[in-house]
Every structure is written in structure tokens, then in C-alpha cells.
Amino acid sequence: MRFTEIRPTAHYLASHAREVPWHEVVEAIFLTKGPRRKGDKFEIENGALYVLFEVSEGVIHVINAKRQ
């Protein structure tokens, strides 16, 4: 998967930014080699975090991030 930018969605900022800081989300995305596909979105589960995002036009849009 190729991307040039990672952006938070309004939903992430309003509902999940307090629970999971942005730097942890970005770190999880960069450390994961193969995120699992869920329809047209992708998810990462690394034991500590769950991250849901979509990719459009080379930009990752982070929708959801939760602690497990």
C-alpha cells in the first residue's frame, strides 16, 4: 500500500483522539506490514491498539482508534 500522507477524520478527532493520541496511531500504521482488509477499509490490531482507516488517492484517512 502506497501513501503520501496520513490524516485524521473529523470522527477520529471528536471521538477517539483523547483515548489514543495521534502519534500512537501513526506509529501503529508505520510498524504494521500488512493491515487486514475489511471491505473498502483496512484495520490494524496489534495487541494494544485497534485502528480503522481507508486509503483514497494516496492519503490514509484514520477513522477510528481504540485501545484493546
Side-chain angles (χ1 to χ4, degrees), residues 28-50:
I29 290 170
F30 278 115
L31 292 177
T32 302
K33 292 183 181 182
R36 187 174 23 193
R37 193 170 201 59
K38 186 177 184 181
D40 61 341
K41 297 175 178 46
F42 296 89
E43 60 185 5
I44 296 171
E45 291 184 80
N46 67 6
L49 295 177
Y50 169 82

Side-chain angles (χ1 to χ4, degrees), residues 4-63:
T4 58
E5 193 174 349
I6 304 173
R7 293 183 189 164
T9 61
H11 175 76
Y12 166 80
L13 293 173
S15 303
H16 304 286
R18 286 190 185 117
E19 182 181 353
V20 182
W22 184 243
H23 71 280
E24 290 183 33
V25 173
V26 172
E27 181 180 358
I29 290 170
F30 278 115
L31 292 177
T32 302
K33 292 183 181 182
R36 187 174 23 193
R37 193 170 201 59
K38 186 177 184 181
D40 61 341
K41 297 175 178 46
F42 296 89
E43 60 185 5
I44 296 171
E45 291 184 80
N46 67 6
L49 295 177
Y50 169 82
V51 179
L52 180 68
F53 62 91
E54 62 186 356
V55 180
S56 65
E57 299 177 10
V59 178
I60 291 179
H61 298 277
V62 176
I63 301 165

